[in-house]
Amino acid sequence: MLDLRGLCQFTDYFVICHGSSSRQALAIADAIEERLLEAGRRKPKHVEGRRAGDWILMDFIDIVVHVFVDEKREFYGLERLWGDAPHVALQGTMETRSRPVRRRPSASR
């Protein structure tokens, strides 16, 4: 999540995420909308990209959610474009979870 307060006038935050396929990106967008409704937030004011599913933009006014397929996220590079924006970790995301240590298999001699 990028904190855009003071950097732009149209929103406060960008949430940027991706899935490995358009089907997964659509499922992510649906889950975001569902969870926000359960939390008492409103439906998005505007949604684009559901038909193609490679970049879904959900405008909640103060938060704009971008759900990409991984290739499109890398191509458009919103994190680079908004490089001055502070990054904010969201609870429960991969960035905030402790990741297991991967050990290399020991070589047999």
Side-chain angles (χ1 to χ4, degrees), residues 5-25:
R5 294 174 296 176
L7 296 175
C8 75
Q9 299 297 314
F10 59 88
T11 193
D12 292 336
Y13 297 96
F14 272 179
V15 173
I16 304 169
C17 58
H18 68 274
S20 58
S21 67
S22 59
R23 180 173 287 192
Q24 189 177 41

Side-chain angles (χ1 to χ4, degrees), residues 2-3 7 16 25 43 59 74 78 82 88 93 108:
L2 302 177
D3 184 347
L7 296 175
I16 304 169
K43 286 186 164 255
D59 185 355
E74 186 176 327
L78 293 184
W82 292 93
V88 178
T93 64
S108 305

Side-chain angles (χ1 to χ4, degrees), residues 17-71:
C17 58
H18 68 274
S20 58
S21 67
S22 59
R23 180 173 287 192
Q24 189 177 41
L26 288 165
I28 291 168
D30 289 344
I32 289 170
E33 188 171 345
E34 183 179 308
R35 294 286 299 271
L36 288 174
L37 283 171
E38 288 172 1
R41 295 207 34 124
R42 63 192 173 279
K43 286 186 164 255
K45 180 177 181 182
H46 184 75
V47 178
E48 292 183 22
R50 279 195 189 271
R51 185 167 293 173
D54 57 355
W55 179 0
I56 303 160
L57 182 141
M58 305 168 73
D59 185 355
F60 291 92
I61 307 300
D62 54 340
I63 300 170
V64 175
V65 177
H66 300 270
V67 184
F68 291 97
V69 292
D70 48 7
E71 300 89 22

